[in-house]
Amino acid sequence: MLTWLIVLPVLVAVLAAVRLLRRRRTRHAFRWLLLTNLALLAGAGVVLATALAGSAQASAQAAASGGVNGSALIGAAIAVAGASIGAAIAVAYTGAAALAALSERPEMFGRAIVIVGLAEGIAVYGLVVAILLIGKA
């Protein structure tokens, strides 16, 4: 609940600043955009600090009661998210190149599938790391 009390004013300020920026067509629009981004970054930092403090309290309570460590769960989520984003970028480029190669030489289908499959393997590595982290919790 405390997080929403912090996030909501930040979102309102960002939306108001973006609305003002859309009306301005001057040279100062870049400065306003920079200030808006800095305010958003500060707000995100506050939300992150609040979430981590709550996670630290929850993990301390969970450790006392023998429950799951919240930091390991956050680490697992970051591992899966990062690996998935990396795999998506890799598949986008290798898939496009594989389709271009297949349009010229259809006999390269097997090689193209292997290369795209290797790019998808990045997501599997992130999932394995997440499972290991959850197992340690």
Side-chain angles (χ1 to χ4, degrees):
M1 183 68 184
L2 178 65
T3 304
W4 282 109
L5 291 175
I6 294 170
V7 170
L8 193 59
V10 171
L11 287 177
V12 169
V14 167
L15 290 176
V18 167
R19 191 169 181 191
L20 282 174
L21 282 175
R22 288 178 59 190
R23 290 184 184 173
R24 290 181 172 225
R25 299 284 182 198
T26 64
R27 207 171 78 177
H28 298 289
F30 178 73
R31 290 183 188 159
W32 281 103
L33 184 63
L34 184 63
L35 289 174
T36 303
N37 284 337
L38 289 175
L40 186 61
L41 180 66
V46 169
V47 169
L48 181 65
T50 305
L52 289 178
S55 172
Q57 291 174 354
S59 65
Q61 291 172 352
S65 65
V68 177
N69 188 0
S71 300
L73 296 178
I74 291 174
I78 291 172
V80 170
S84 298
I85 290 170
I89 293 170
V91 168
Y93 287 120
T94 58
L99 284 176
L102 286 176
S103 66
E104 293 180 9
R105 293 178 54 190
E107 65 270 7
M108 296 205 44
F109 179 74
R111 291 181 186 170
I113 291 298
V114 168
I115 292 172
V116 174
L118 287 174
E120 289 177 4
I122 297 171
V124 175
Y125 295 140
L127 185 63
V128 168
V129 169
I131 290 171
L132 289 174
L133 285 173
I134 291 172
K136 293 282 185 179

